[in-house]
Amino acid sequence: MLEHFCECYFDVSGLILCPVLGSITPLFIPNSRIRSIRLIGLCASLITFLYPPVPRIQFDPSTAKSQFVESLRWLPYENINFYLGIDGISLFFVILTTFLIPICISVGWSGMRSYGKEYITASLIREFLMIAVFRMLDPLLFYVLPESVLIPMLCGAEHLLFAGIKPFLCRGLVQ
């Protein structure tokens, strides 16, 4: 079991774990140390982008099958597995996601004075969810995770009416 975990962690699952660990760390830092929170968020997103490029180098573009497939029984009585893999288009979107999140954190660098911890945490959780969406092969989780990407976006809404309208605007843009 431990061998399988280590093999998966160094393969591609670590790509999902980096933003999760990066989003948990600022929660233990006081709000008065905003510079540390910013640096931790930026470093976590950069580590995720610069994660060992195993899937980028060993990816075989000549096949249409999913590669680097990992499976973990999650809810066996419902036949729901945590089933991850990468194909050609999802590899591009994972690289794009990990490239854009450090840019988003850098752009919001000067604007996060009062809600810096929340901004960093929401950005890294959003990164985790987007990477998970692009890697998910289980049909149930594939349809649940895109909706969960909207949750960190709703956390920043100051007006409840606008928070209710945001998902509809985003769904209209996506569709």
Side-chain angles (χ1 to χ4, degrees):
M1 175 81 174
L2 184 60
E3 294 170 356
H4 177 69
F5 176 75
C6 290
E7 179 182 313
C8 291
Y9 176 74
F10 289 117
D11 197 14
V12 187
S13 292
L15 186 65
I16 291 178
L17 292 177
C18 285
V20 171
L21 295 174
S23 66
I24 291 172
T25 307
L27 298 176
F28 299 107
I29 299 174
N31 282 336
S32 60
R33 302 191 60 196
I34 190 68
R35 186 177 174 108
S36 310
I37 294 170
R38 291 179 194 163
L39 286 174
I40 287 172
L42 187 62
C43 287
S45 63
L46 285 173
I47 288 170
T48 305
F49 176 65
L50 298 173
Y51 191 76
V54 172
R56 298 174 198 170
I57 295 171
Q58 294 180 350
F59 187 79
D60 182 18
S62 65
T63 181
K65 293 183 180 180
S66 295
Q67 300 173 32
F68 307 105
V69 176
E70 303 167 13
S71 181
L72 179 68
R73 293 184 64 94
W74 190 33
L75 299 173
Y77 52 88
E78 294 292 331
N79 198 20
I80 298 174
N81 297 323
F82 198 70
Y83 190 51
L84 301 171
I86 290 183
D87 59 3
I89 191 79
S90 65
L91 178 65
F92 170 73
F93 283 124
V94 166
I95 292 170
L96 183 66
T97 299
T98 59
F99 175 72
L100 288 177
I101 292 296
I103 293 173
C104 293
I105 290 174
S106 299
V107 167
W109 193 269
S110 62
M112 58 173 117
R113 287 182 176 39
S114 58
Y115 294 107
K117 184 188 296 189
E118 291 82 4
Y119 178 78
I120 294 294
T121 303
S123 296
L124 291 173
I125 288 173
R126 187 178 308 120
E127 182 177 24
F128 152 70
L129 290 171
M130 287 190 291
I131 292 170
V133 164
F134 297 132
R135 295 215 40 235
M136 193 59 58
L137 298 176
D138 183 54
L140 176 69
L141 293 176
F142 180 76
Y143 288 110
V144 170
L145 283 173
E147 298 300 325
S148 64
V149 172
L150 298 175
I151 294 170
M153 182 182 68
L154 291 175
C155 294
E158 295 163 353
H159 302 288
L160 198 52
L161 178 63
F162 188 62
I165 293 172
K166 267 185 178 180
F168 294 109
L169 294 174
C170 289
R171 284 313 252 177
L173 291 174
V174 169
Q175 294 175 355

